[in-house]
Structures are given as C-alpha cells and as structure tokens.
Amino acid sequence: MASTTGETLAAAEPIADGRTEEGEEEQVVNPWEVSAKGGKIDYDKLVDRFGCQRLDESLIQRFERITGRRAHVFLRRGLFFAHRDLSDILDAYERGEKFYLYTGRGPSSESLHLGHLVPFMFTKYLQDVFKVPLVIQLTDDEKCMWKGLSVEESERLARENAKDIIACGFDIERTFIFADFSYMSPPIYKNIVRIANCVTGNKIVGIFGLTLEDYGGKFFFPYIQAAPSFPSSFPHIFSDKYSKLRCLIPCAIDQDPYFRMTRDVAPRLSYHKPALIESKFFPALQGESGKMSASDPNSAIYVTDSLKDIKNKVNRYAFSGGQDTIEKQRKFGANLEVDVPVKYLNFFLDDDAELLSIKEKYGSGAMLTGEVKARLIEVLSEIVERHQRARAAVTEEMVDAFMAVRPLPRMFG
C-alpha cells in the first residue's frame, strides 16, 4: 500500500504533536494536551502538519452513494473533517471486501459529557450503515499511567463508562468491548510486542513529545493502543479467513499520533494500514478553545445532568455571539462564528431547514440570544433524557455480555 504523506514520523515530521513551526502562533495537539495561544485550534494547519487529508464534499457524496443512506449530521456539517485512507476503505467495500471498526475510551471520569459521546454516536451510525463488527477498547491501564488512578478505580470507571457506551445502542452481535487490564491475552500482547520492536525510542519521543522525566509506561502505552488495529489481536472474533481484514478508526484528531505510528509499522507486519476518520474537538460552553475540561463541570453538558442543570449551564455559560442589548441585536445581529449555541445546534439539530432558518434570523437580528438558547436547551434535553433512559436499562449482566470473549454471531451483513 502506498505511504500517506507525512507518515515517516519523526524523521520527516519533527513537529508531530501539532505544534506550529517557529515564528508562528503555537498550538499543541496530542493525546494529552490540546491548546492554542489564540484560543482557537487552526484545523487547516493541523491537517497540514499531521499529513492527513481533508474530508471533502465529493467523498461525503460517495459515502452516501455507497451506503444508500444520508450522511450523518456529523459528516455533512463538518464535525468529522479529516481522514486517512477512507477512500481505500470505500474502494474495498465496493469490491465486496469486509472491514471492521475500532474506537475507544480512556475511562477517567464517572460520567461522560456530550463531547465524549460524539465518537460513539458516529461509530454507531457506521456500524448500522456498513453492518460490520466493532471493537471498543477501554484503556483503563492508560489512566493509571497518566492520571495516577489506582488499578481498582480505573477498572471500576471502565465498567461505568461501558454502560454509557452500551446505551448508545450498539449491536451486541457485532460488538466486542474490552478493557486492557482484563483482556491482555497472549494474541493481542504478541502484537503489542511486535509493534514495540518496530518503533525506536526516538520515534516515540518525536511523536508524543515525551522526555526522560516521564514514567516508562507512557513510552509503552502507544503500542497498546495500536494493537487493536490488527485483526489477529482478536482471534475469538476473526479467524484466519479474516486475518488481514482492514480496520477503520473513528476518533478525534488528537488521537492521530497513535495511528501515524501504527500505519508506519503495519506494512512491516504484513497488515493493511488502519484507516481513520477524524473529528474536531467539541467546543466547551465557554467557547471554542480546544476540548471540554472534565475539571470544570460547567464547561460541558454531561449525560447525567438534569433538565435544570442543562438549562442553567446553557443560559449562564454558553458563550453568545449576540449583542449585549436587544436594540443592538435587532440592528446588528449575532456573530455566528463565535456563538456556542449555534455551534451546538449545528451538530445536534438534525433538521437542515430549521438550522438554516435559525442562522439567518439570528444573524440578521430577527432572533434573540434567549430564543436560540431555548431551542438548544430543548434539543440537548431530548438527547440527554433519551440517553439516561437507555443507560438505566443497562445491567451488569449486559456489560458482562458485551465484554465476554466470544465469537460475534452476526459479524457482517
């Protein structure tokens, strides 16, 4: 398979964590830090630095044509905006070849917020339209290395997060959820070691920005996240017939460094390079300045929030691009580029005509900030209520069933 631009890693891409070149405004995007001096991530610059491809309208149209389904709102409105080799996945699918999905979650908090749900909502859509198997990795080991959590607390949070993931509606006959501490079986560990033997310490430092002051686990963990990209890590799911199956990974773009490394290694291990479809960061309520912060509960809408919480957070904390008086708003209208309620509606209000109407009226001054926030509260409340009902129905036995090491009876079709 042809190498993608920028995938020779540290040798050709020395600023692999998304830092801009010297003299430019600095932004840092890697799996542990997302920041920009100006507050707003420059995604065009990030795509260029990482060497991935922009997900353009022609590819979205092809996606719709192949699947026979309308593109997900996250696709058609640009939340998922970049990719690596998505065209290869679609080519293979048109030839009748199979693939599988892989995504994950680092369980560091009791409850997920809407930003955490985005990749799982989108992955559910991909599983539905392609009817393919899915593996979901819960990196409970990672949180011991980076967050200082105990093994026991990390394992507990992994199960709690699994309940929120299951509540998204995944097909149990096509889905395997595993936690690293419980699943580190010989087949996946063999792939971890194979990957580790293909990557030098210099490459790990160049990709992830680590130093000799970091704990050793941080140097080793990238191999653990890489290994599920290869089907032989799951022999109970993929027989020899599927040993070279392609993998598609939906994730936020801060996870790209892991899979640049993986794609560099894959041909040396006789696997296809994993393909990626990558999202922007869901903005905090206070404005578009990177990812939501789990340390600030008012920066995000959580799936455990009450209707009162949602109303209070949106009204008090959602940054508005509207004017500071009704008179000015009527005269000048709102700045939609910075308005957080509009950004949230852009991704969660499915009705294109209604969204366009809101933007036109709000931008012209015919609609007030309070009216836009009220509509957003309705939309978010419906999503959170629906999730809470589904989450309440998830039992410990269901978690055990999704995490059981077993064949998937209805992998494809």
Side-chain angles (χ1 to χ4, degrees):
M1 296 171 65
S3 177
T4 303
T5 302
E7 284 175 5
T8 51
L9 301 173
E13 193 67 33
I15 313 177
D17 67 352
R19 297 173 190 270
T20 57
E21 295 183 31
E22 186 177 353
E24 298 178 356
E25 183 183 72
E26 183 186 67
Q27 62 179 16
V28 180
V29 176
N30 60 43
W32 315 290
E33 181 183 358
V34 175
S35 63
K37 281 187 176 179
K40 184 176 181 180
I41 300 297
D42 186 330
Y43 289 102
D44 287 333
K45 190 172 291 183
L46 191 59
V47 165
D48 291 340
R49 295 301 297 159
F50 277 1
C52 45
Q53 296 83 47
R54 291 164 180 81
L55 211 164
D56 60 21
E57 184 60 31
S58 64
L59 193 54
I60 295 173
Q61 289 176 0
R62 186 183 179 205
F63 199 98
E64 291 184 325
R65 186 175 67 256
I66 289 173
T67 63
R69 295 272 293 271
R70 191 181 190 200
H72 194 283
V73 65
F74 293 165
L75 261 183
R76 64 181 194 263
R77 297 191 189 147
L79 182 55
F80 279 82
F81 75 108
H83 72 99
R84 290 182 184 274
D85 290 353
L86 180 59
S87 296
D88 289 353
I89 289 285
L90 297 181
D91 288 344
Y93 185 76
E94 284 193 298
R95 292 193 300 267
E97 297 177 16
K98 310 298 185 181
F99 68 92
Y100 73 101
L101 297 165
Y102 158 42
T103 192
R105 160 78 185 143
S108 60
S109 60
E110 192 85 31
S111 173
L112 306 188
H113 57 58
L114 292 182
H116 293 142
L117 277 190
V118 162
F120 295 109
M121 295 168 71
F122 187 65
T123 301
K124 164 79 165 56
Y125 160 80
L126 292 176
Q127 185 181 60
D128 288 347
V129 298
F130 288 109
K131 295 180 172 53
V132 293
L134 162 68
V135 295
I136 299 175
Q137 181 182 37
L138 301 174
T139 55
D140 46 6
D141 52 346
E142 176 196 17
K143 296 310 169 186
C144 290
M145 300 173 193
W146 271 268
K147 297 291 185 179
L149 300 178
S150 68
V151 169
E152 294 74 19
E153 178 65 0
S154 294
E155 289 182 307
R156 185 186 72 82
L157 291 177
R159 284 188 69 87
E160 291 303 307
N161 283 192
K163 294 173 185 176
D164 277 314
I165 293 168
I166 292 168
C168 292
F170 292 107
D171 182 349
I172 192 170
E173 294 189 329
R174 292 194 181 101
T175 304
F176 174 53
I177 301 175
F178 69 99
D180 287 346
F181 277 135
S182 60
Y183 183 70
M184 210 46 67
S185 59
I188 191 171
Y189 190 65
K190 288 177 183 177
N191 276 341
I192 289 169
V193 172
R194 289 180 182 120
I195 295 165
N197 284 338
C198 292
V199 181
T200 66
N202 282 336
K203 280 189 177 180
I204 290 293
V205 169
I207 295 168
F208 299 103
L210 299 175
T211 71
L212 293 180
E213 299 302 314
D214 286 299
Y215 291 114
K218 294 185 179 182
F219 287 81
F220 190 71
F221 178 76
Y223 314 134
I224 296 174
Q225 183 148 328
S229 306
F230 304 147
S232 60
S233 295
F234 308 100
H236 62 284
I237 301 175
F238 304 117
S239 64
D240 290 344
K241 177 182 177 181
Y242 299 115
S243 62
K244 302 302 180 184
L245 204 63
R246 296 176 187 271
C247 177
L248 173 61
I249 304 171
C251 62
I253 197 166
D254 61 337
Q255 301 300 296
D256 189 88
Y258 287 119
F259 301 112
R260 289 204 306 280
M261 178 198 74
T262 311
R263 287 168 58 85
D264 185 63
V265 166
R268 298 165 64 182
L269 300 180
S270 300
Y271 291 111
H272 291 292
K273 294 182 179 183
L276 282 81
I277 182 165
E278 301 177 313
S279 74
K280 298 177 181 177
F281 306 117
F282 200 74
L285 285 168
Q286 289 83 352
E288 193 173 18
S289 56
K291 295 193 291 188
M292 296 174 176
S293 171
S295 62
D296 180 4
N298 293 320
S299 71
I301 303 296
Y302 283 80
V303 295
T304 51
D305 282 346
S306 67
L307 302 187
K308 182 179 178 181
D309 291 333
I310 294 171
K311 183 176 181 179
N312 179 62
K313 286 182 178 182
V314 170
N315 283 331
R316 290 188 63 185
Y317 302 109
F319 186 82
S320 171
Q323 304 298 327
D324 54 8
T325 67
I326 293 176
E327 291 75 17
K328 287 183 179 179
Q329 174 62 19
R330 294 296 190 200
K331 183 176 181 180
F332 300 111
N335 179 356
L336 303 185
E337 290 299 314
V338 301
D339 192 90
V340 168
V342 167
K343 291 179 183 295
Y344 277 36
L345 287 171
N346 193 57
F347 298 124
F348 289 122
L349 179 59
D350 194 59
D351 189 321
D352 291 338
E354 183 184 0
L355 179 66
L356 180 60
S357 176
I358 289 172
K359 288 181 175 181
E360 288 177 346
K361 291 177 181 178
Y362 192 34
S364 68
M367 198 171 188
L368 301 177
T369 297
E371 296 174 287
V372 177
K373 287 189 173 184
R375 183 65 181 113
L376 177 61
I377 290 167
E378 291 176 351
V379 170
L380 296 183
S381 296
E382 180 181 345
I383 292 171
V384 171
E385 279 189 299
R386 184 170 62 245
H387 182 87
Q388 289 175 356
R389 288 194 300 269
R391 173 67 157 75
V394 178
T395 64
E396 294 294 338
E397 290 74 20
M398 289 175 66
V399 176
D400 290 339
F402 269 94
M403 298 183 73
V405 177
R406 70 206 191 281
L408 298 182
R410 211 159 49 90
M411 281 206 304
F412 301 105

